[in-house]
Amino acid sequence: MKKNILNIAVAATLGFVAFSASSEDMYRGAWYAVPGASYTNPDSDLESRNDGAGIFLRMGKELSESWDIQFGISQARTGNDLNGVGGRYRQSMLGADALYFFSRDKFRPFVLAGLGVARNRVNYDGIDLDDKSKTSPYANVGLGAQYLITDNFGLQADVRHVWSKSGTQSINADAGRLNADETVGNTYVNLGAIFRFGAPAPVAMAEPTPEPLAPVAVAVAPEPEPVQAALPVVPACNEKFQTVEVSAEKLFGFDKSKLADDGKAELDAAIQKIKAHPALVLVLVTGHTDRIGSEAYNQKLSERRANQVKEYMVANGVDASRLQAAGKGESEPVVGCEGLRGKAVVECLAPNRRVVISAEEKIEAGCK
């Protein structure tokens, strides 16, 4: 009977984890809380029924592309299975689990293993026990999955088997069936909600307003001297604005949208080229990301980065009316990097993480 219940529990959990999503969401180094409830299938030696329930609270931390750690407390209770006898069995646990993730998509299957301290208490009415409670180390293994509904909220389900020492044995001749003084193994089916509070939240970027420093000096040209006024202005027909492409890591750092000092030198060079080309009627600042991360998150990240570059250019004397910022997210990759995982794919996809500055020029009279 208990084997059938365990099979049903495993099937239910695998059914949940099969509900997958196509987009990826790489780890963000986030902290998260997982409160939830559990179904308990106790060891048969405890003579306890199979309808136990419990609650738990875990705190998790994303350590790398593949590993999380979760610390938690839990408690579960069941009634006993001895005819005519009341009372309950209770197990309380405090411990830590290491989780290995096979994917960082929204759907994230994992296996787990952990250690901790368990307190088993058997309190059955009318049965004289040599030791009603015992505290001992425990070990557990399991499998499960997370599913992220948003960047900050999701679900976690798992099935785990827990081994600990009960130390409980009946000393009554008429209740000799209760003999749980050795290792007992309980199976738990857990379902909880994930609240991520360490992940960067995608925020829409407000349109920048030009700061009142230097725009007057850039926008207003000095009155020409009378002698120079008679000289014709010859357009530089052969000079073309070359598209500037800058690595996003150099400008911002990996998965960041705040402009870094080290990347400003290349932007300064682009700004000087724009100022030297008055015929430029529109300068496009386009942000691109790789495919690591959800499509929605990457779109917002590319927009934030493009707007940061635009703000910097305006603050350094480029007329805001000549600039347009846009994000393309992961939609225009230059490399694919299929078949790679972990750090190898992060490094391979670097060319996709970029900011491109391009321009449209007004054709002057007499130029072709």
Side-chain angles (χ1 to χ4, degrees):
M1 175 64 179
K2 293 188 177 182
K3 183 177 180 181
N4 291 336
I5 293 174
L6 180 57
N7 289 339
I8 292 171
V10 172
T13 303
L14 292 178
F16 168 79
V17 303
F19 179 55
S20 63
S22 60
S23 58
E24 297 176 345
D25 190 12
M26 186 180 174
Y27 86 100
R28 306 293 179 193
W31 284 92
Y32 57 92
V34 188
S38 60
Y39 169 84
T40 311
N41 182 250
D43 192 298
S44 58
D45 287 349
L46 294 165
E47 298 293 346
S48 185
R49 291 198 299 265
N50 299 319
D51 57 356
I55 57 174
F56 63 85
L57 174 62
R58 298 190 177 97
M59 292 296 299
K61 178 69 169 70
E62 298 175 354
L63 299 178
S64 71
E65 295 94 335
S66 301
W67 291 96
D68 280 16
I69 188 168
Q70 292 184 2
F71 305 91
I73 57 174
S74 64
Q75 186 175 90
R77 297 192 303 174
T78 70
N80 71 71
D81 201 24
L82 297 171
N83 293 331
V85 177
R88 291 184 178 277
Y89 162 67
R90 182 173 66 195
Q91 184 175 55
S92 304
M93 292 183 288
L94 170 66
D97 299 315
L99 286 70
Y100 179 82
F101 286 83
F102 296 98
S103 169
R104 284 294 184 178
D105 296 354
K106 287 185 176 181
F107 162 66
R108 302 175 165 194
F110 61 80
V111 292
L112 68 89
L115 298 171
V117 177
R119 183 171 180 80
N120 294 295
R121 181 171 177 79
V122 179
N123 189 11
Y124 297 165
D125 300 338
I127 298 181
D128 191 6
L129 302 174
D130 60 351
D131 192 355
K132 289 186 176 181
S133 63
K134 182 177 179 63
T135 301
S136 75
Y138 80 79
N140 70 180
V141 296
L143 59 88
Q146 295 180 347
Y147 179 75
L148 296 185
I149 298 171
T150 69
D151 280 332
N152 297 315
F153 178 75
L155 298 174
Q156 175 174 308
D158 66 71
V159 177
R160 63 183 68 199
H161 196 70
V162 181
W163 293 273
S164 64
K165 291 280 190 178
S166 170
T168 300
Q169 183 177 14
S170 170
I171 58 176
N172 286 4
D174 58 351
R177 287 185 301 160
L178 184 56
N179 184 1
D181 61 342
E182 297 296 332
T183 299
V184 293
N186 299 331
T187 301
Y188 288 89
V189 180
N190 301 304
L191 178 62
I194 301 171
F195 298 92
R196 284 173 97 214
F197 47 85
V203 220
M205 199 66 165
E207 277 299 317
T209 53
E211 297 182 10
L213 52 139
V216 175
V218 173
V220 179
E223 288 293 330
E225 296 182 7
V227 177
Q228 296 175 340
L231 298 175
V233 178
V234 181
C237 298
N238 297 327
E239 294 183 11
K240 297 295 181 182
F241 180 84
Q242 300 296 320
T243 297
V244 177
E245 183 173 310
V246 188
S247 162
E249 270 88 346
K250 191 167 186 178
L251 289 175
F252 303 101
F254 182 72
D255 194 35
K256 306 295 181 185
S257 58
K258 183 179 179 182
L259 204 57
D261 292 337
D262 292 345
K264 291 179 180 178
E266 293 196 43
L267 290 184
D268 292 338
I271 290 170
Q272 294 307 314
K273 291 175 66 177
I274 293 169
K275 290 180 178 180
H277 286 70
L280 298 179
V281 293
L282 179 62
V283 177
L284 301 175
V285 180
T286 309
H288 299 267
T289 70
D290 59 25
R291 58 182 167 80
I292 300 173
S294 70
E295 184 176 347
Y297 178 86
N298 285 335
Q299 179 61 35
K300 292 294 185 182
L301 178 61
S302 66
E303 291 172 4
R304 293 199 303 272
R305 286 176 167 177
N307 278 308
Q308 282 286 318
V309 172
K310 178 182 175 182
E311 283 185 1
Y312 180 79
M313 296 172 74
V314 169
N316 283 272
V318 178
D319 189 347
S321 64
R322 301 172 68 192
L323 298 173
Q324 179 177 314
K328 293 296 184 70
E330 59 187 71
S331 64
E332 296 183 0
V334 293
V335 293
C337 303
E338 303 299 334
L340 299 178
R341 293 181 59 84
K343 291 183 179 180
V345 73
V346 174
E347 294 174 0
C348 178
L349 291 173
N352 294 344
R353 302 186 290 270
R354 66 200 190 278
V355 174
V356 178
I357 301 171
S358 57
E360 292 182 6
E361 299 192 61
K362 178 175 66 177
I363 304 299
E364 298 288 348
C367 293
K368 294 183 179 181

